[in-house]
Amino acid sequence: MTLPVLSVAICSSVCFGTYRNSLHFLCQFRHGSSALKPSRLDVFVAGCAAGTVEAMVFAPIDLIKIRQQNQTHPHQPYHGQSSHGLLTMPKYRGPIHCLITILKEEGTLGLYRGITALWLRDIPCFGLYFVAYSVFSEQLTPQGQHKP
């Protein structure tokens, strides 16, 4: 239970930190000052940057979770002569063992298997999420204040 809680906390902090820094950079680069109100395009691009980085942090955690889930309900093995005991023992004893096994067998890039699918999901979704977050924040902020 500790791993999911820690992974959400880490990924959220990386996501919001990347968003804020990207938005600051974009406003400074495009408008000459980060004090000006960012455009919706700035917010969307900063959100996409946050989705990119978040997927890079989350990909290894997600892969380890999926590998462990797949071994808890193995497919029934063929009961012929050559398949005796094929799927009787789980390959991974825990998340750390899974991480070490992936690194040994597939290398560092093995931790990022499937990251393209995460990027296809997360990049546009985080861009839209932060645009919606920006719109709702503006709507809920009383007149004369800068933050809700």
Side-chain angles (χ1 to χ4, degrees), residues 41-84:
L41 179 63
D42 294 336
V43 171
F44 181 77
V45 171
C48 288
T52 302
V53 175
E54 190 268 346
M56 292 177 74
V57 171
F58 195 66
I61 297 166
D62 201 37
L63 180 71
I64 290 168
K65 177 192 74 162
I66 290 168
R67 294 269 178 105
Q68 288 190 292
Q69 286 173 341
N70 284 340
Q71 77 175 359
T72 58
H73 301 291
H75 300 288
Q76 294 297 319
Y78 171 71
H79 295 290
Q81 290 179 332
S82 64
S83 69
H84 181 68

Side-chain angles (χ1 to χ4, degrees), residues 6-139:
L6 286 176
S7 65
V8 168
I10 291 168
C11 289
S12 293
S13 63
V14 167
C15 180
F16 281 92
T18 303
Y19 167 74
R20 190 72 193 134
N21 288 328
S22 298
L23 190 60
H24 176 78
F25 172 77
L26 282 170
C27 288
Q28 187 73 27
F29 180 74
R30 291 186 66 207
H31 309 294
S33 171
S34 60
L36 297 173
K37 181 182 171 190
S39 69
R40 298 277 187 252
L41 179 63
D42 294 336
V43 171
F44 181 77
V45 171
C48 288
T52 302
V53 175
E54 190 268 346
M56 292 177 74
V57 171
F58 195 66
I61 297 166
D62 201 37
L63 180 71
I64 290 168
K65 177 192 74 162
I66 290 168
R67 294 269 178 105
Q68 288 190 292
Q69 286 173 341
N70 284 340
Q71 77 175 359
T72 58
H73 301 291
H75 300 288
Q76 294 297 319
Y78 171 71
H79 295 290
Q81 290 179 332
S82 64
S83 69
H84 181 68
L86 183 63
L87 295 174
T88 57
M89 296 294 297
K91 184 174 182 177
Y92 309 112
R93 295 186 299 261
I96 302 298
H97 182 255
C98 183
L99 173 69
I100 292 169
T101 304
I102 292 170
L103 287 172
K104 283 181 183 177
E105 293 178 359
E106 302 173 41
T108 305
L109 290 178
L111 290 173
Y112 292 95
R113 181 168 290 189
I115 196 167
T116 305
L118 285 174
W119 277 336
L120 288 172
R121 178 191 73 186
D122 288 349
I123 291 173
C125 287
F126 274 90
L128 293 173
Y129 169 82
F130 281 107
V131 168
Y133 177 80
S134 173
V135 168
F136 286 124
S137 292
E138 288 174 12
Q139 296 295 319

